[in-house]
Amino acid sequence: MIENYKDFKKFITTLEYTPKLLLHSCCAPCSSHVLILLKAYFDITVFYSNDNIYPEEEYLKRLDEEMMFCNQLDPEIKVIYDTYKKEDYDQIVKGYETLGERSQRCYACYKLRLEKTASKAKALGFDFFTTTLSISPYKNSQWINEIGQALEKKYGVSFLYSDFKKEEGYKHSIALSKTYHLYRQEYCGCQYSLEERMKQDGKE
């Protein structure tokens, strides 16, 4: 089991075949660095599954941006997506709504999206699954990997360790966003993060 970024890099650079990877993505900017890092080693399909995003117009905007970016970067990269089900997110964060970012609310959100990814990877016969979420300095990579490893056991699909903020990954994603003129949202995605951002900006 991979437990650090050094071992992750050693693993991917010594692969003797090209595994099929289902990469959960929250948005185009976060996927940019990750795709460039991984596409030399994996046959990647991007999976856009983000029931947390609010409102639905924002969900669709980020999906369109993801599809546009992947087509620009490499037309061979496939993008699949879920039907938007905000009710799934509302159910798993019930009781956690006021806890703020980096709280149990976020843990539950990571788990929802990763579980849908693991389930999809199992159904479609992928070798690995992982997520772009760990590229953000605001996301808890330890939690993400903990959840991913538990889901690996549950679904029988290998989880690819992720801490994509390493080696200036987040800064690289910002630079790539400028290069590809990507839309970068000003909040995490859920209605609670939007409300928190608006309070910080004095708009409420």
Side-chain angles (χ1 to χ4, degrees):
M1 183 171 65
I2 300 171
E3 296 183 345
N4 59 65
Y5 190 78
K6 181 180 178 181
D7 288 347
F8 157 78
K9 286 297 294 288
K10 181 179 179 180
F11 172 73
I12 65 170
T13 55
T14 55
L15 281 170
E16 297 180 350
Y17 71 113
T18 305
K20 292 174 61 180
L21 170 68
L22 188 63
L23 174 65
H24 166 264
S25 177
C26 54
C27 63
C30 286
S31 71
S32 60
H33 167 77
V34 180
L35 284 168
I36 287 173
L37 173 67
L38 297 180
K39 72 187 187 75
Y41 309 104
F42 295 89
D43 175 7
I44 301 174
T45 296
V46 171
F47 182 45
Y48 184 83
S49 178
N50 300 289
D51 300 310
N52 60 305
I53 295 178
Y54 174 86
E56 186 173 2
E57 290 78 9
E58 179 74 13
Y59 173 91
L60 294 171
K61 184 173 184 178
R62 296 189 194 191
L63 172 58
D64 286 345
E65 197 78 357
E66 182 72 60
M67 296 177 76
M68 179 194 72
F69 170 69
C70 289
N71 186 59
Q72 284 185 305
L73 180 67
D74 184 348
E76 295 297 314
I77 296 174
K78 301 177 288 293
V79 179
I80 61 176
Y81 54 90
D82 257 350
T83 301
Y84 181 62
K85 294 182 179 178
K86 185 175 180 293
E87 62 273 17
D88 288 357
Y89 173 75
D90 290 340
Q91 181 178 356
I92 59 100
V93 300
K94 189 174 182 180
Y96 304 143
E97 296 92 339
T98 62
L99 293 184
E101 199 162 355
R102 305 184 195 181
S103 68
Q104 186 64 32
R105 186 185 76 205
C106 294
Y107 188 96
C109 182
Y110 302 162
K111 187 174 185 297
L112 172 68
R113 292 186 278 174
L114 275 165
E115 180 134 27
K116 289 197 174 189
T117 305
S119 177
K120 182 69 72 174
K122 176 72 172 180
L124 298 180
F126 281 83
D127 302 303
F128 287 86
F129 73 98
T130 195
T131 178
T132 65
L133 288 170
S134 70
I135 198 169
S136 170
Y138 304 104
K139 301 291 188 291
N140 188 318
S141 297
Q142 182 177 343
W143 284 356
I144 291 165
N145 286 296
E146 172 187 301
I147 294 166
Q149 288 160 4
L151 292 171
E152 174 181 315
K153 295 177 183 177
K154 180 176 179 178
Y155 288 93
V157 181
S158 296
F159 174 71
L160 181 66
Y161 174 94
S162 70
D163 194 357
F164 297 121
K165 66 178 70 65
K166 297 289 189 179
E167 295 186 309
E168 305 290 353
Y170 181 65
K171 289 184 179 178
H172 188 213
S173 74
I174 294 173
L176 288 166
S177 294
K178 294 178 180 177
T179 299
Y180 286 91
H181 307 288
L182 299 178
Y183 161 65
R184 291 186 67 87
Q185 59 282 358
E186 295 183 353
Y187 64 104
C188 174
C190 73
Q191 68 182 90
Y192 309 110
S193 64
L194 175 59
E195 291 166 2
E196 289 158 11
R197 174 54 60 90
M198 291 177 68
K199 287 179 181 177
Q200 291 174 5
D201 294 343
K203 295 179 180 179
E204 278 194 349

